[in-house]
C-alpha cells in the first residue's frame, strides 16, 4: 500500500493500480486501498469500477467519510442524484467540517432544483474555508438563479477578494450589477473581464 501511494505521487498510475490491486488481494478488507482504486478508475472514466471499489471501501469501513464523498461523485456523474445526496449527507454526518462534501452536496441539490438548500451548503463551505474560492462562485450562482442579485453581488465581491482575476466571477458580478440597474458598475466589471480575455 505504501508503495502504491508512492507510485501515485510519482504519477505512475499503471504501477500504482497494480500495487493497490495486490494490496486488496492480500487484504480484501483494506478500505483505503479500495478507495484509492476507486479514485484511479474514476480518473479513467470507468465509473462502474470506481463505484464498485468505493462501495467495497464502505462495506469494510462504514465510517469512511471520504469514500462516501467519492461514491457520491460517481453517482452524481451518473445522474443518480437522490443516491448522491444521501452519500454526501452521510459523509457530513461523519465529518461535519468536510468542505468538499458540502460543495458536492450543494452541486447535487442545485441539479435537483433545490436552490435554497444548495445555497445553505455553499454558505457553510465558505464558513469552513473562507480562503477557498470555489464556495463563493458556487454560492453566487445559486443566488443568481434564485434572483437574489444583491446577495450575489456581495458574495462575488468577497470571492474576488480571494481571487481578483477570475473571469467567471467578474462576468457574474457584471450580470448581477446589471440586473440591479447598476449599469456603470456592470460596464466596469465587464471591462475588467474583457481585459483578462
Amino acid at each position: 500500500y505504501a508503495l502504491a501511494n508512492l507510485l501515485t505521487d510519482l504519477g505512475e498510475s499503471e504501477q500504482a493500480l497494480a500495487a493497490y490491486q495486490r494490496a486488496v488481494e492480500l487484504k480484501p478488507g483494506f478500505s483505503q486501498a479500495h478507495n484509492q482504486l476507486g479514485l484511479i478508475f474514476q480518473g479513467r472514466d470507468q465509473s462502474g469500477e470506481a463505484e464498485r471499489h468505493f462501495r467495497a471501501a464502505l462495506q469494510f469501513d462504514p465510517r469512511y467519510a471520504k469514500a462516501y464523498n467519492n461514491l457520491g461523485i460517481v453517482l452524481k456523474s451518473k445522474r443518480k442524484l437522490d443516491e448522491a445526496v444521501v452519500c454526501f449527507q452521510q459523509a457530513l454526518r461523519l465529518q461535519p467540517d468536510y468542505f468538499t462534501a458540502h460543495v458536492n452536496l450543494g452541486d447535487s441539490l442545485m441539479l435537483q432544483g433545490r436552490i435554497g438548500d444548495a445555497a445553505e451548503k455553499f454558505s457553510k463551505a465558505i464558513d469552513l474555508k473562507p480562503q477557498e474560492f470555489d464556495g463563493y462562485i458556487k454560492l453566487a450562482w445559486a443566488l443568481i438563479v434564485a434572483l437574489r442579485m444583491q446577495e450575489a453581488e456581495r458574495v462575488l465581491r468577497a470571492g474576488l477578494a480571494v481571487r481578483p482575476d477570475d473571469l467567471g466571477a467578474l462576468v457574474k458580478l457584471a450580470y448581477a450589477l446589471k440586473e440591479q440597474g447598476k449599469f456603470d458598475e456592470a460596464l466596469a466589471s465587464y471591462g475588467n473581464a474583457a481585459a483578462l480575455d
Side-chain angles (χ1 to χ4, degrees), residues 8-71:
T8 298
D9 291 342
L10 294 172
E12 301 288 346
S13 61
E14 284 298 329
Q15 292 174 277
L17 174 63
Y20 285 126
Q21 287 173 326
R22 181 61 178 153
V24 297
E25 286 172 12
L26 295 170
K27 186 180 178 184
F30 199 162
S31 295
Q32 291 90 341
H34 279 292
N35 184 64
Q36 291 301 121
L37 281 166
L39 290 171
I40 290 173
F41 285 116
Q42 187 178 32
R44 296 178 174 194
D45 293 325
Q46 293 177 252
S47 59
E49 279 297 295
E51 180 178 348
R52 183 173 71 83
H53 282 288
F54 292 139
R55 290 191 185 280
L58 290 166
Q59 177 187 346
F60 296 115
D61 183 1
R63 299 190 60 77
Y64 198 169
K66 286 185 178 180
Y68 275 111
N69 180 68
N70 293 335
L71 177 58

Side-chain angles (χ1 to χ4, degrees), residues 118-180:
E120 286 181 22
K121 294 303 169 186
F122 296 139
S123 293
K124 179 62 177 177
I126 292 170
D127 291 342
L128 289 168
K129 290 191 176 182
Q131 293 307 309
E132 288 285 340
F133 177 77
D134 207 27
Y136 294 100
I137 196 73
K138 288 178 180 290
L139 175 57
W141 179 241
L143 294 169
I144 287 170
V145 170
L147 304 179
R148 293 158 61 181
M149 299 299 171
Q150 190 172 4
E151 294 171 79
E153 177 191 347
R154 178 182 55 78
V155 170
L156 286 162
R157 290 193 187 281
L160 285 163
V162 174
R163 191 184 294 175
D165 294 333
D166 187 85
L167 181 64
L170 288 167
V171 171
K172 285 179 176 62
L173 176 60
Y175 178 79
L177 290 165
K178 177 176 70 71
E179 291 299 300
Q180 294 176 78

